Amino acid sequence: MDSVTTPGTLNIPQIIRSETRLRETTYRLIISQLFYDGHQQLAVSLSNLLQTSPPCPPSDRLTHIVRLGLKAEEELEQTRKASIVVSDNVQDIGLDFDYQSDSPITSPDAGSYETFYVTAHKAPCRAAAFDATGSIIATGSADASIKILDVDRMLIKNNFGLDYAPSSIESSLDNHPVMRTLYDHADEVTCLDFHPYDPILASGSRDYTIKFFEYAKPTTKKSFRSISEVDQIRCLNFHPSGDWLVVGTQHPVTRLYDVETGRCFVSTQPQDQHTKAITCVKWASNGRQYATSSKDGSFKIWDGVTNRCINTFDGAHGGEEVCSVMFTKNSKYLLTSGKDSQVRLWELSTARCLIHYTGAGTLAKQEHRATCVFNHTEDYILYPDEKATSLCCWNSRNAERQRLLGLGHNAPVKCIVHSPTAAAFVTCSDDHRARFWCKRTLFTD
Amino acid sequence: MAQAYDFALEKIGMDVYSYNIWNDYIIFLKSVEAVGSDAENKKITAVRKVYQKGIMTPMTNVELLWKDYCTYEMGINPMLGKKIIDERSREFLNVKRVTKEFETLVRTIDRNIPCIPPTIPQTADEIKQITAWRKFISWERLNPLKTEDILLVIRRVVLAYEQGLLCLGYHADLWYEVCAYLEQTSHGYSERGDAQLSKRFLDDAAILYERAIQTYMRSNMLIHFAYADFEEQRLNIDKARSIYNRLLDINEANLKDPTLAYIQAMRFERRTDGIKSARTLFKRAREDIRTNHQIYVAAALMEYYCTKDNNIAFNIFNLGLKKYNQNLDYILAYIDYMTHLNEDHNARVLFERILSPNNSIFKQLQPTIWNEFLKFESQVGDLQSIKKVEKRRLKIYSDLNELEGRETLLLVDRYKFLNLLPCSIDELKLLGCKDLSNINLSSTNTSVLTNGSIVNGTTLLEQAVRDRRAILPRPDIKHMMPFRPTRKPLPGSHPTPGGAFPLPDTALYLVKVLPPARNFEGPFVIIDELMERVTRITIPDSFDPIRFSIQGEVIRDLDSSNTNTSQQNRKIGHGDSDDEEQQAPLNVSERSTMDIYRQRQQKRVKLTKTNSTDQLQSLQRIATMTCFEDLSGEILMIIFEYMDVEDLWTIFFNMNTRFNTLVFDSRLRLTANISKIDKTKFDQFCLSLFQTNCNNIFILILSNNYYRYPQIRQFLFHTTFMYFQSLYSLILIDINYDELMKITNQIKQLSNLNHLHVNTHEIYHDKQLMNITQELFNQPNIHVLGLDFHEKIQWYDIKTISLSNIEVLSLNFINIDRLFLLLPCCPHLRSLSMTLDSRCNSLITNDNSESLSQSTITYPQITSLRFYFRSFNISALQRLLNALPSLKRFSIDTLMYKEDYIRASFWTLLLQQRLPLLERVRLVLRGFFGLESNEKINENRKNFIGGYQYDQYWLDRAHKKIFTCYTNDTSMVLQIR
């Protein structure tokens, strides 16, 4: 090892332990490699920029190390694969910039989706949710009702019913896509979320209550439990275990509810809280943290165990209200949208904005909130444009804009939810309608 | 064409998605040109047949088919059609019900997934698909159509299987199941004597097996064996043999280790052809280089068990040993065989042969063989040979450097039998035994394996989900604060705004269980008195045990002397003479226990006697010391009344029950000066005020001035004055007209409101001003009124004021005429304070006669006058003093320019004449000194002012009172109190 001969350099464990030293070593290796490969100019300019001392000798070591590293990675991967008994879809790693980013995109972009089913409420539709398997959808409306829709039935209906005799089909109740309609709230249903494991739907409303429905029971009309709040509920989200519920209301204090007992907890530090109403709240899928966004223009990352605020991003969208947050599946990145019609991707480990997705809201400034989502593979980002009522779509890795998709709504689309498992999403609009969109080739025979 | 359709429907007409074909067929049949009635009839029957078949098949859109059929029948012959439809509709309903179930089952199945070999860590999707298919198939087997036609059921089941196999062709279990199913059904038919059907199904099964081994199951031995057995059962020996041959075919390179296949084939041959052909097969196997040592073991054992020929078996083993003398498993099998033969000698020879130095078996493998040897010897040999073997074994261990002085362990080996050990497990652990744990583990391992083989996909999936759920980090409530969201929490009830602390769980439960608080109607403990009692109590020097008798009387047992007990007895007798007989024995027993108790107590008293005096003193000292909370409630309440209500609540509310009751005591009279609260706090406070106890508010100060927000409007928005029933004094600052009108309307209801002060900079129109003053004067309850409008009060029509109850009036800017118009309306007025406008002087001089006549009316009830004169006017003052003859307190603050007026003699004369009863005087004279040059002031000051200090009148007045007279640059003050 040349670490012994060169003064000032450290042994390997020391380097690995310290992040900055690791970086420094990496840069030095890069410069050495450049020298070695004959890119003199680049190497000199880089070493000037980084002010490396002592100067780096030309060396092939980096190539060598990369070779070793790739091999080790492969082995690691194999052992990991072998160790997991039931693995999820292996290629489904989602968005992660630490791994190869040049893999071809297999999922369809927004332009190729089609409307499969439309359901109408009696008032603006403002909330929707997919269950964990992507087979059930719930939509909530300002008319205080919740509809539960079955994805498979919608697909069957579309595939068979519409092709032959759409008018002559008697909508027998058993086979209707709308499984249930729940009227238990007294005011607008503002948010919905499915329990990750059990067939339970949680809904929050402006009537100051959170209600839990056992939607799988055919007799369900009313909630089997409810938590009464003292303010309008704006957003809620289940902990990945389904045992906890974090709730955002018109009041700036973030509440954490124990679903079992209905007890409420807050952070021990009052200064952790937002200063205005909370607009969105989401758990990371690993349960280690959750994020809240607020009207005060900031979003916060909270520790999932201690319920303390870890980080606050003030003025994340130029001081405008932050409308939605969404974690990537690996919980490393956070996607936010704001009333400045921009979507940003944040790296949480370094607390910085990685990618800026622009181009929405060019017609006019948006007035209402709008959510942005990843598609199921996290290759694309979908965001409804308020004035154009079309769907903006970006490649999540390089922020390249894709084809627009006209949504066919007559009013602003305030909510969009993508299925966690398949190429399908739901848009909710103020024109009272919720549309179910799907990629056709996937399901047709 | 029709045949093609028929064929298609025969094959896949039972599929859930077969509607297309049925529909197409019917359309096709309908479209066929039929000439002549005969052909027409034929066509109709054909169509009807297809329809009737179709509607009996559960599939999606069967309702459509039904509808079409109905219309079709009705189109042909309405009468007959109706009958047919009625007949059919019941069956159709059944089909429809089945279709529903069918669809739900099929929905989860994805028929388009490619048929690929299953990956060993099964993905969630695969598991889901498999379970879906299984569910579907078992549903079909349950005969959901409830049909009598068993053939149909079988066809449907087989179709389901076949469809499943299209997607799951690599699942051997499915293949086997379908074949077994077919075999079983054929069995059923053969029992019933239907040879043809049973043959058909057997053929079907054979075809399926054939398909399996031709396609996906090419390398699966299980299916091959099953197939061969199946054929063997059908007595198709040749077929079975060919199956084995195919499996063993060397050209088919898909079988890596055909040993098992050879063994099975050998067994098959023995069964069918006898041992001879089995031997030929064994020969073939020996020649096959792919086979393993097991074939030798199998062959040898077969020879041994079947032909009962030791020698052949022995030979085979020896043959194998030549080839596999390194293979431990083989050797062990051989040893096992030998030991079971009960030929000790041969066995020993074998051991020696194996372990001989020229046999180059690996040293690492030797110990196991040695163990076997030892076991063998300890079973059959004598102690000598055992020892010998042991010694040799020890040598091996020491050669391997594994001994490390653990000879004892090896000794243990000698004595153990099955799982019985010569010492306990703990002892073995102490000995450092490794083998033991291995043994135990292996036994548990096998059991786990057998258990694990039962575990199927879904349970695996559930397990995975549960695992994932279990490893998720969870919120830890130890790091958080409990929180109860509250609409309008009292200030300071939780560090985080917008909530309060919830009760602890147990307390919450208690609260839930308890009846509501309003049900409780005393007795209430007066805490103050109780505390007082406690503090006043004198602690006796000696300890007296006190007990209560059953009647609740205090039993004092100071001494065991008879006098006391007799007294006590008498007391009890007094209380309840009838029960005396019953009471007496009870008392006796009581006393005996008491005696012991008392004796102990006396001992204790003796022990502590030396310290007792000191203790007493310290107790007394504590009693005299007062903390804040030791103060009596009355004093605390007085202290509270000096505090502002906001501070009071922030500090004392919810501190403990005593303070709570004090804070909410109805006798408490609080001053709520919320005029200086900023906006955010105000809303909160306002509502908490309203919510909690507005009855305690005695003085309320509201202001629009501070912080520049419309506080009064907010206040009126949040609450109403109706709630403030004990309000005594109300002060309104910078209120505007509308608000004031509103408030005047509200406060009419408040019986206790006595004092109203309005101080405003808002601009009022004359009309408004008039309205509002009239309103205020007409308030029946208000006795003290202060109006500070910063504008002249105008009364256009004084008549609207009925007799007012006002006793104390304070006004800003009023001229003397209007004052005299006002005064008759206020018969109870005692005290008047005002700024007298001197600009009206002209008016008075013009109307001298009238004013004089007016001034003849006097108001003897007014005893106190305090006013501010803008510019001094002697006539106005005289008029005023004429009208108020019984003034006792007089205060004037005036601006004057005439030197004469300042002289003591002027005032002496004026007041002597007008007000002989005067008790308190205050004269403030300003403005004079600023006007002239300094020298003149200094010259004149003494002359003018000095007079007061020496004037006998003033000094008389000041007798036994405080007399002050001082000057400064701008004013001169004379004050007698």
Side-chain angles (χ1 to χ4, degrees), chain B residues 442-497:
Chain B
S442 68
S443 64
T444 52
N445 269 345
T446 50
S447 65
V448 162
L449 210 77
T450 47
N451 287 342
S453 62
I454 300 161
V455 173
N456 63 10
T458 38
T459 48
L460 259 182
L461 207 65
E462 278 163 18
Q463 182 66 40
V465 163
R466 225 174 301 134
D467 288 351
R468 214 174 309 149
R469 206 170 159 178
I471 57 163
L472 276 172
R474 279 152 193 285
D476 184 358
I477 55 169
K478 285 203 288 284
H479 295 281
M480 303 173 213
M481 278 197 292
F483 188 72
R484 184 164 52 87
T486 313
R487 186 90 187 116
K488 293 288 169 196
L490 288 171
S493 47
H494 198 280
T496 309

Side-chain angles (χ1 to χ4, degrees), chain A residues 117-138:
Chain A
Y117 192 76
V118 183
T119 184
H121 283 273
K122 295 188 186 72
C125 181
R126 298 267 168 79
F130 269 96
D131 79 332
T133 59
S135 57
I136 306 274
I137 298 171

Side-chain angles (χ1 to χ4, degrees), chain B residues 541 602-617:
Chain B
D541 289 350
Q602 279 174 343
K603 270 185 199 164
R604 256 181 69 182
V605 167
K606 269 175 202 159
L607 281 173
T608 54
K609 201 160 246 175
T610 45
N611 299 331
S612 64
T613 48
D614 295 355
Q615 277 176 351
L616 205 67
Q617 279 175 358

Side-chain angles (χ1 to χ4, degrees), chain A residues 230-241:
Chain A
V230 296
D231 224 323
Q232 297 177 0
I233 317 292
R234 285 188 71 105
C235 46
L236 50 81
N237 194 232
F238 272 110
H239 184 265
S241 71

Side-chain angles (χ1 to χ4, degrees), chain A residues 84-85 152 164 168 175 197 229-230 239-241 243-244 251 253 255 263-268 270 286 304-305, chain B residues 17 20 67 103 107 121-123 465 469 472-477 479-483 485 487 495-498 505:
Chain A
I84 299 168
V85 183
D152 291 323
Y164 296 106
S168 68
N175 218 15
Y197 300 107
E229 257 288 344
V230 296
H239 184 265
S241 71
D243 296 339
W244 296 82
H251 193 267
V253 173
R255 295 101 195 260
R263 285 188 299 172
C264 178
F265 297 94
V266 294
S267 161
T268 46
N286 62 10
V305 176
Chain B
Y17 299 127
N20 295 4
K67 259 196 182 150
E103 276 174 4
R107 195 184 302 138
Q122 279 180 311
T123 63
V465 163
R469 206 170 159 178
L472 276 172
R474 279 152 193 285
D476 184 358
I477 55 169
H479 295 281
M480 303 173 213
M481 278 197 292
F483 188 72
R487 186 90 187 116
T496 309
D505 281 345

